[in-house]
Amino acid sequence: MRERVFSGMRPTGKVHIGHLVGVLEKWMELQKEYDCFYSIVDWHAMTTDFEDPSELKENIFQLLADWLAIGLDQENSVIFLQSQVKEHAELHLLLSMLVPMPWLERNPTLKEQVRETHIPKINYGLMGYPVLQASDILMYKGNKVPVGVDQLPHLEIIREIVRSFNRLYKPIFPEPQEILTKTPKLLGIDGRKMSKSLDNCIYLADPPEVIREKVHQMVTDPQKIRRGDPGRPDICSVFHYQQIFSPGKIEDVRHGCEAGTLGCVENKNNLAKTLADYLGPYRERREQLIGSQEKLKEILEYGANKARPIAQQTMHEVREVIGLWS
Ligand code: TRP
């Protein structure tokens, strides 16, 4: 049997190209080697967005369209919406008994989130975020979990939960291992971490004119004022992107910039074109998909129908080994 991969993303809006190069291209690759479960984790989104969930449904469609446009394949992988498989809630509840509060109270990911987003009060659901995440992975007996470094503390908690469960009842769950995805591989157009809240993202959905406008806002070497001035590509955002999107031409760009034969405006035009060509096919596919919400709903239904029997089987086993009525 092939090993299983599980990962999830919260539906908070459109996918930006930082997700694409950092995470989703990895997810794509894993489809070849593993049985993959990719979930849109709307209950996780609720832990912070519970006061105004009005955009949740729309965001689910946006995320799904992006995933499918990139090439995540609903035949090959199980692509599903967390809240359509209610078993996750039951497993979350049962696992919560195994979690001493201090594990959650010292969770560095939560502390950072509180610091960064100024969450005034931590609710019980947010506190239990890693436990819900454990229920996602364990439900499908996931072996490998592609995540960014920020999620490593959660994986540690999840492994502790698995060890407790296996020791107390029966060893039915594997200890999931992370596959590290490179989170800050691609910086935002202002040179900071690419993030929706910083408003510095390029989205898969951006048409060529928008890409062009954003590329022209990028910061280059401030000492290179005119075309003839020698530039320092290593501190230039445009060059940073070109290393990723046009590796074949990178030496020419470096040389042209340093020698002063390549101007920033021309180089930005080149990058805008490269990005527009790279993202064009994704954007066209996502536009088609987003235009048909009925079809997207069917795809979610299809995924939930594949996930649910596995979840039911796991829950049957869980109740059995704990000694609950099934
Ligand atoms: N916590 C993850 C994030 O914020 C999302 C997530 C939910 C997840 N359940 C998961 C990731 C299970 C990996 C496995 O990025």
Side-chain angles (χ1 to χ4, degrees):
M1 204 173 88
R2 299 215 293 182
E3 282 200 313
R4 284 186 179 162
V5 159
F6 190 101
S7 203
M9 242 182 224
R10 279 167 296 150
T12 53
K14 294 175 292 188
V15 166
H16 61 62
I17 62 175
H19 294 130
L20 176 63
V21 259
V23 184
L24 290 169
E25 288 181 349
K26 186 80 198 169
W27 286 20
M28 282 290 297
E29 215 179 286
L30 292 169
Q31 291 186 125
K32 296 183 207 137
E33 239 186 280
Y34 296 93
D35 286 336
C36 296
F37 293 75
Y38 294 130
S39 182
I40 298 178
V41 289
D42 52 342
W43 282 340
H44 277 104
M46 280 294 289
T47 61
T48 51
D49 300 346
F50 59 95
E51 281 174 312
D52 180 14
S54 57
E55 288 176 11
L56 200 54
K57 272 198 181 138
E58 177 59 27
N59 285 344
I60 290 165
F61 289 130
Q62 294 289 341
L63 184 58
L64 181 62
D66 278 326
W67 280 8
L68 298 169
I70 289 161
L72 292 183
D73 174 6
Q74 82 263 26
E75 296 303 330
N76 212 339
S77 301
V78 180
I79 294 174
F80 72 102
L81 180 63
Q82 182 187 41
S83 65
Q84 287 188 324
V85 183
K86 310 295 180 204
E87 283 74 9
H88 288 242
E90 185 184 357
L91 187 55
H92 171 239
L93 175 83
L94 291 172
L95 296 178
S96 75
M97 315 302 172
L98 307 182
V99 185
M101 281 306 285
W103 292 4
L104 303 177
E105 283 162 356
R106 63 171 173 251
N107 172 11
T109 308
L110 179 60
K111 284 189 184 163
E112 191 183 316
Q113 194 182 9
V114 170
R115 226 180 302 121
E116 276 189 1
T117 53
H118 311 289
I119 296 170
K121 274 204 195 103
I122 301 176
N123 61 52
Y124 168 64
L126 180 62
M127 200 79 193
Y129 187 109
V131 189
L132 183 57
Q133 198 171 342
S135 82
D136 296 338
I137 301 168
L138 301 198
M139 192 65 85
Y140 308 96
K141 301 191 177 177
N143 310 93
K144 295 282 188 327
V145 182
V147 282
V149 267
D150 63 303
Q151 294 291 312
L152 289 185
H154 291 174
L155 253 278
E156 289 299 340
I157 296 171
I158 292 164
R159 282 191 285 261
E160 292 289 355
I161 296 174
V162 170
R163 288 194 275 271
S164 289
F165 188 101
N166 286 348
R167 180 168 42 79
L168 286 171
Y169 308 119
K170 248 190 191 153
I172 62 169
F173 293 120
E175 279 185 33
Q177 303 301 320
E178 67 272 7
I179 294 178
L180 259 197
T181 50
K182 299 178 196 133
T183 327
K185 192 170 172 186
L186 195 67
L187 299 173
I189 56 174
D190 56 1
R192 292 186 291 173
K193 179 182 163 189
M194 191 179 284
S195 139
K196 200 174 139 189
S197 52
L198 295 175
D199 194 21
N200 62 0
C201 302
I202 296 177
Y203 294 100
L204 242 63
D206 285 346
E209 8 9 306
V210 174
I211 294 176
R212 214 181 137 78
E213 207 176 292
K214 289 181 177 174
V215 168
H216 279 274
Q217 286 170 31
M218 283 184 184
V219 186
T220 57
D221 178 358
Q223 284 177 20
K224 183 170 163 68
I225 295 159
R226 277 175 220 90
R227 181 190 184 104
D229 299 340
R232 294 169 294 173
D234 293 314
I235 60 162
C236 171
S237 293
V238 178
F239 189 74
H240 165 76
Y241 272 70
Q242 286 169 317
Q243 286 174 307
I244 294 162
F245 292 99
S246 33
K249 293 189 209 147
I250 202 69
E251 281 317 309
D252 290 346
V253 177
R254 175 184 287 286
H255 182 260
C257 174
E258 287 174 345
T261 51
L262 176 65
C264 295
V265 174
E266 181 187 348
N267 199 34
K268 282 179 170 178
N269 287 338
N270 294 343
L271 175 63
K273 166 115 179 42
T274 304
L275 283 179
D277 290 348
Y278 186 90
L279 299 176
Y282 295 146
R283 184 175 50 87
E284 280 165 28
R285 274 201 296 274
R286 94 180 291 291
E287 256 170 29
Q288 249 179 7
L289 288 157
I290 209 73
S292 165
Q293 295 206 337
E294 282 313 306
K295 175 96 178 104
L296 291 174
K297 274 189 199 157
E298 272 170 32
I299 290 170
L300 287 179
E301 202 56 49
Y302 182 74
N305 285 337
K306 289 213 280 184
R308 208 173 287 118
I310 304 171
Q312 285 167 345
Q313 168 64 34
T314 301
M315 285 320 295
H316 187 76
E317 208 182 342
V318 164
R319 292 181 211 111
E320 193 85 352
V321 301
I322 298 181
L324 296 165
W325 291 101
S326 214

